[in-house]
Every structure is written in structure tokens, then in C-alpha cells.
Amino acid sequence: MVKIENEMGEIRKYLADLELLTYQHGKINAHTFCIDEIDHKIVDYLLHYKGATTPELAEYIKTNRWMVAEQA
């Protein structure tokens, strides 16, 4: 349980970083930081919905939540 809480804390940090990077819309492309197609899907979802839980992201990219947590 502690590991999950730590990973959620990291995800929240990354979401905050992403919000900071996209604050000046149009000046920074968040997709620049993507490594693969899963990253692009996660960024698309986060930009559209302004945030997400790990299960929401997993459902959207059609994978399990552990894969989403590893991407972070």
C-alpha cells in the first residue's frame, strides 16, 4: 500500500509539472517529453480532461493500471 501511495505522489508531481509546462498554452508542446505511444495517449488524456486517476488512464489506453504507473 505504501508503494502505491508513493507512486500516486509521483504521478501527482508529474501532473503538476505538466500543468506548469502547459500553462502558457501554445508555447510548450507537452508531447515533446513523450517517449512512446502510451506517453502520447496519457498526455492527450491529461490535456483534454485536465487530470486523471491511474485507473482512468489505464482504461483509456486499454492497459492495466500498473503499466500506467510504470510510465510515470
Side-chain angles (χ1 to χ4, degrees), residues 33-52:
F33 304 98
C34 297
I35 296 171
D36 58 21
E37 190 60 32
I38 293 174
D39 288 347
H40 285 286
K41 288 179 180 180
I42 290 171
V43 169
D44 286 339
Y45 191 95
L46 294 174
L47 291 174
H48 181 74
Y49 293 103
K50 308 290 187 222

Side-chain angles (χ1 to χ4, degrees), residues 1-7:
M1 195 62 158
V2 171
K3 183 177 178 183
I4 292 172
E5 289 173 352
N6 289 337
E7 289 178 358

Side-chain angles (χ1 to χ4, degrees), residues 18-38:
L18 180 61
E19 183 177 349
L20 177 66
L21 291 173
T22 58
Y23 180 72
Q24 296 176 339
H25 183 69
K27 291 187 177 185
I28 298 174
N29 181 357
H31 289 276
T32 302
F33 304 98
C34 297
I35 296 171
D36 58 21
E37 190 60 32
I38 293 174

Side-chain angles (χ1 to χ4, degrees), residues 51-70:
T53 64
T54 304
E56 288 170 335
L57 290 172
E59 183 178 328
Y60 177 72
I61 61 175
K62 309 230 183 313
T63 190
N64 65 54
R65 62 188 174 143
W66 301 110
M67 174 68 132
V68 172
E70 287 176 8

